[in-house]
Amino acid sequence: MAERVVPEHRRQRRRPTKNGTVLSERMIVETALRLVAQHGADALSVRRLGAALGADPSAVYRYFRNTDALLLALADEMVGRAQAGWRATGDWRTDLREIALRIHAAYLANPQVAALAAHRTTGREHETRAVESILGVLREAGFPDAEAVRIYHAFVDQALAFAALDAAALALPEPARAADERVWHAAYGKLSADTHPHVAATYPLLAADMRDSGHPFALELLLDAVGARLAAHTRG
Amino acid sequence: MAERVVPEHRRQRRRPTKNGTVLSERMIVETALRLVAQHGADALSVRRLGAALGADPSAVYRYFRNTDALLLALADEMVGRAQAGWRATGDWRTDLREIALRIHAAYLANPQVAALAAHRTTGREHETRAVESILGVLREAGFPDAEAVRIYHAFVDQALAFAALDAAALALPEPARAADERVWHAAYGKLSADTHPHVAATYPLLAADMRDSGHPFALELLLDAVGARLAAHTRG
DNA sequence: CCCGAAGGTCAAGGGTGTTGTCATAAGGAC
DNA sequence: GTCCTTATGACAACACCCTTGACCTTCGGG
């Protein structure tokens, strides 16, 4: 079949589909995100996407080489939405917290896509801008380059990892998700103090705490540690 | 079809398959892990599992209600392998570090399964024992219950989240994985100092650092922060 | 030794991504 | 305004997926 995909900026002809809609990369990405948001995780199939677009499924392959390419486009779109409107305040701690929370929120808004794409490196426009922003916050805070890079890496991976973890839990098919939640009461509530003394002693606190994400607190811990290092650098 | 699955401990009859093998829950779990380890992520299908077992694919459904139940069994097996032989030393920092690194290693040993199951709560034997161990380390270090629970949550979620993130990257089909790695040189190496000054200034450090996991350093940061809190508690 | 039923097998239904081929309309050339 | 090229949408088919209902064989308790 040779090469089917023509880069978006070089497209000239736009032949409408059978029922009149005119396709484009942008339109496909938006339709896919909407599709996944409205119906479950399993809704993202080329066939269903075709149906939602009012086109034959195979038409999608004129715009994306395969489903992986489509996924990367969806991922970068999410990163873009996470950054929309963000501006540095000059206070590194405020800025980093805001960035992490925005990433988390944007990913959770499309959990199905986030679960599939959070660990990918796209190198696309929105992603590179995010990297630039975070590095900027750290270097301007006063970290030497090597340390800024190490902290950047830990920080961004932690944000993405938690986003993926929480998104994956949300993206679960409903029966599995509900079952996982019940486990905290069903299994952990029944453990005996003889075999599991620490769980038994803290069970009510545990069941309550595990209902929410561990991300905000883990983020504060990371910021604490980063702050301590910064103090050491600026003192030294 | 009524209820097909008989709990393992109540099985009495064991009818051999057509080519002579005798099935069991344990054997299916081990075969599945081996299958996934040897061939890629996509190797885990009921059909292929049936073939590897020397049985009709549908025989698996006599042991697991569906593929999700099988996945949870695989997940708990991994948690069990992570803990095998672990014993507390009495030094909380050493113990927590060891637990996190073991989880990370065990999950990366079966990346395909880890990527699918790291965020699940099974409530099974190996998982509850791990929870007990971690809570024990924190409470015996001197944290009051409420704080121990919060730190437990952040700690374990961070370990699982990084394990899932790194596993997912490893589990990628080879072409996609290689492409993601190339991006750090191809895309980020070409960014201009005009538009991305911080990336341009740190690019060699960045490309080198991103080759490895951010987990070890993020873990040390978390342990630093936990240590600071512990000092505050024991002083107060 | 018999017989109930556990458990392996078979076949089918309804999904999936992907690709080779075909046909049609868009838009440049004249 | 007409023609021609070719981009692009449509169609059909392949090979795989999970799951289930019905069937049948063989195990093992009485």
Side-chain angles (χ1 to χ4, degrees):
Chain A
M1 292 193 64
E3 212 33 81
R4 261 175 314 191
V5 177
V6 172
E8 184 72 10
H9 61 275
R10 275 217 239 109
R11 278 180 191 271
Q12 313 196 335
R13 310 186 179 183
R14 308 212 91 107
R15 175 177 169 186
T17 76
K18 211 161 197 183
N19 77 358
T21 40
V22 174
L23 300 180
S24 72
E25 211 171 276
R26 164 136 226 96
M27 180 198 177
I28 294 176
V29 166
E30 279 167 5
T31 304
L33 284 180
R34 190 159 26 83
L35 189 64
V36 160
Q38 286 177 356
H39 314 78
D42 317 337
L44 189 56
S45 79
V46 179
R47 287 174 143 81
R48 263 195 271 261
L49 181 53
L53 288 166
D56 187 271
S58 65
V60 171
Y61 290 96
R62 297 277 180 208
Y63 293 83
F64 298 96
R65 182 195 313 280
N66 53 31
T67 48
D68 194 63
L70 171 59
L71 185 66
L72 290 182
L74 296 177
D76 197 59
E77 174 66 21
M78 283 198 315
V79 175
R81 292 184 183 183
Q83 290 179 272
W86 178 85
R87 297 195 40 86
T89 68
D91 178 58
W92 67 268
R93 187 157 182 143
T94 303
D95 288 343
L96 288 186
R97 182 188 294 114
E98 174 74 11
I99 291 175
L101 294 179
R102 274 167 169 263
I103 289 178
H104 197 254
Y107 277 46
L108 290 211
N110 285 95
Q112 349 280 358
V113 174
L116 293 175
H119 55 98
R120 306 300 300 272
T121 308
T122 67
R124 286 173 173 239
E125 187 196 338
H126 294 132
E127 190 193 72
T128 60
R129 204 161 64 223
V131 175
E132 173 69 15
S133 297
I134 300 170
L135 275 176
V137 169
L138 289 168
R139 292 179 81 222
E140 280 161 16
F143 282 108
D145 286 357
E147 182 86 346
V149 163
R150 269 155 57 92
I151 294 178
Y152 159 77
H153 189 183
F155 169 80
V156 78
D157 272 16
Q158 177 163 326
L160 292 174
F162 270 97
L165 193 78
D166 294 339
L170 271 186
L172 235 43
E174 184 45 30
R177 207 198 49 72
D180 278 18
E181 237 182 43
R182 265 196 310 277
V183 165
W184 281 106
H185 296 88
Y188 286 84
K190 288 199 181 52
L191 293 178
S192 145
D194 293 339
T195 60
H196 298 75
H198 298 294
V199 170
T202 56
Y203 165 62
L205 291 167
L206 200 54
D209 205 80
M210 297 308 286
R211 262 206 308 272
D212 303 323
S213 167
H215 177 235
F217 185 55
L219 174 59
E220 294 308 324
L221 290 178
L222 182 137
L223 293 176
D224 283 352
V226 169
R229 287 187 171 242
L230 184 59
H233 274 292
T234 50
R235 258 203 315 274
Chain B
M1 295 191 63
E3 210 33 81
R4 264 174 314 191
V5 177
V6 173
E8 185 71 9
H9 61 274
R10 276 219 238 107
R11 277 180 192 270
Q12 314 197 332
R13 309 188 179 181
R14 306 211 92 107
R15 175 178 167 187
T17 78
K18 213 161 197 186
N19 76 358
T21 40
V22 174
L23 300 179
S24 72
E25 209 170 276
R26 164 134 226 99
M27 179 197 178
I28 295 177
V29 165
E30 279 167 5
T31 305
L33 283 180
R34 189 159 29 81
L35 189 65
V36 160
Q38 286 176 356
H39 314 79
D42 317 337
L44 189 55
S45 80
V46 179
R47 284 172 143 80
R48 263 193 272 261
L49 181 53
L53 287 166
D56 187 272
S58 64
V60 172
Y61 292 97
R62 298 275 181 211
Y63 293 81
F64 299 96
R65 184 194 310 283
N66 51 36
T67 48
D68 193 64
L70 171 59
L71 184 66
L72 290 182
L74 296 177
D76 197 58
E77 173 66 21
M78 282 197 316
V79 175
R81 292 184 183 183
Q83 289 178 273
W86 177 84
R87 297 197 38 86
T89 68
D91 178 58
W92 67 267
R93 187 156 180 143
T94 304
D95 289 343
L96 288 186
R97 182 188 295 114
E98 174 75 11
I99 291 174
L101 294 180
R102 275 167 169 263
I103 290 177
H104 197 254
Y107 277 47
L108 289 211
N110 285 96
Q112 348 282 358
V113 175
L116 293 174
H119 55 97
R120 307 299 299 273
T121 308
T122 67
R124 285 174 174 239
E125 187 195 339
H126 294 132
E127 188 192 73
T128 60
R129 204 161 64 222
V131 175
E132 174 68 15
S133 297
I134 301 170
L135 275 175
V137 169
L138 290 168
R139 292 180 81 221
E140 280 162 15
F143 281 108
D145 288 357
E147 182 85 347
V149 164
R150 268 155 55 94
I151 294 178
Y152 159 77
H153 189 182
F155 170 79
V156 79
D157 272 17
Q158 177 163 327
L160 292 174
F162 269 98
L165 193 78
D166 293 339
L170 272 186
L172 235 43
E174 185 44 31
R177 206 197 51 70
D180 278 19
E181 238 181 42
R182 264 196 312 275
V183 165
W184 281 106
H185 296 88
Y188 286 85
K190 289 199 180 52
L191 292 178
S192 145
D194 294 339
T195 60
H196 299 76
H198 298 295
V199 170
T202 58
Y203 164 65
L205 291 167
L206 198 56
D209 204 82
M210 297 308 286
R211 263 207 307 273
D212 303 322
S213 167
H215 177 234
F217 185 56
L219 174 60
E220 295 309 323
L221 290 178
L222 182 138
L223 293 176
D224 284 351
V226 169
R229 288 189 170 239
L230 184 60
H233 275 294
T234 50
R235 259 202 315 273

